[in-house]
Amino acid sequence: MCDVSDSGRPGYHVSVLPEETREWMAAGSGKFIIDGTLGGGGHSEMFLEAGARVLGIDRDPEALAHAQARLSKYGERFSTWQGNFSDFRDNPEVQGGERADGLLLDLGVSSRQLDAPERGFSFRGDGPLDMRMGPATELTAATVVNEWSEEEIRKILREYGEEPQARRIAAAIVRRRNEQPFQSTLDLADCIEKAVGRKGRTHPATRSFQAIRIAVNDELGSLQRALEHSVDLLKPGGRLLVITFHSLEDRMVKQFMQDRSRPWLDRPEWPEPRPNPRWAFRLPQRKAIAPSDEEIRINPRARSAKLRVAELLDPTTPRP
């Protein structure tokens, strides 16, 4: 993610790990790729340039409109569908039985969403407490901070934000809202900063904003459903590529891929290993792929990105 778009226009989005994604997706003529997180369309454009047909999915109508305008030159090889990537099985093409050669999930928030104050994702500019990735999401950040119980707020700050000061921040939020409901991002960020103080360059509200955003958009639940559905979405040999930006996502993706790539399961109490009924993938690259120093220099927001790759096996593949 960055402050300039892939096409050079300011203010939208630049795709992370572009060359690594191009290499591992191996898009080409005759292939069908699903970009489950279309965003500005940068990754999709690479797949289209390689000759593939692409279905781009996104919750955000603004992102869809931008990508449609940008990629209209590819004609019928590019189509879009508005929705959560965890629901891609509801897409008419997928419902028709067509399986994909590749599925990309580029998680997190786009630069456009972060940089638009009216979307309420960031405290760098004052905006409403929204944080919804798409208009179909009913829950907003305002509802979380103004209506959820102190225990519920503390739980998401601890689990989704890995915030060590979760208890203190949740208590401060509840005290303050009893006096006056929160209205804006800067209002919430200021409350958190007053509660825990500020040390170092990172704003003390960073983890809390991440946690609230994840809760509003059910990001981890959506990711888990999408990973499970990928087994039915891909054709044998099809590749699943997932780009994560924080440890919660990466841990979930790593665990899923490792669990589904073991042909055998073994436990100390068993007399011998047993077949893994969930075996479905092989891992052509076992370790996460990180951005280069050059990419991080150009795009500092890429520094925490990790790419993981799995390839769906033919169900008749014999166990090793």
Side-chain angles (χ1 to χ4, degrees), residues 300-313:
R301 287 178 177 171
R303 64 186 177 275
S304 60
K306 292 181 179 180
L307 170 64
R308 293 189 183 272
V309 183
E311 185 177 290
L312 190 70
L313 295 167

Side-chain angles (χ1 to χ4, degrees), residues 185-211:
T185 54
L186 291 185
D187 190 14
L188 177 60
D190 182 60
C191 172
I192 295 171
E193 184 173 3
K194 288 179 179 177
V196 299
R198 183 164 188 170
K199 298 177 182 178
R201 297 177 60 186
T202 302
H203 194 286
T206 300
R207 291 190 181 96
S208 297
F209 270 63
Q210 172 185 296

Side-chain angles (χ1 to χ4, degrees), residues 68-85:
Q68 286 166 346
R70 173 181 180 176
L71 303 177
S72 61
K73 61 185 176 182
Y74 294 100
E76 295 183 354
R77 286 200 291 117
F78 177 65
S79 60
T80 61
W81 185 68
Q82 183 175 337
N84 188 328
F85 60 71

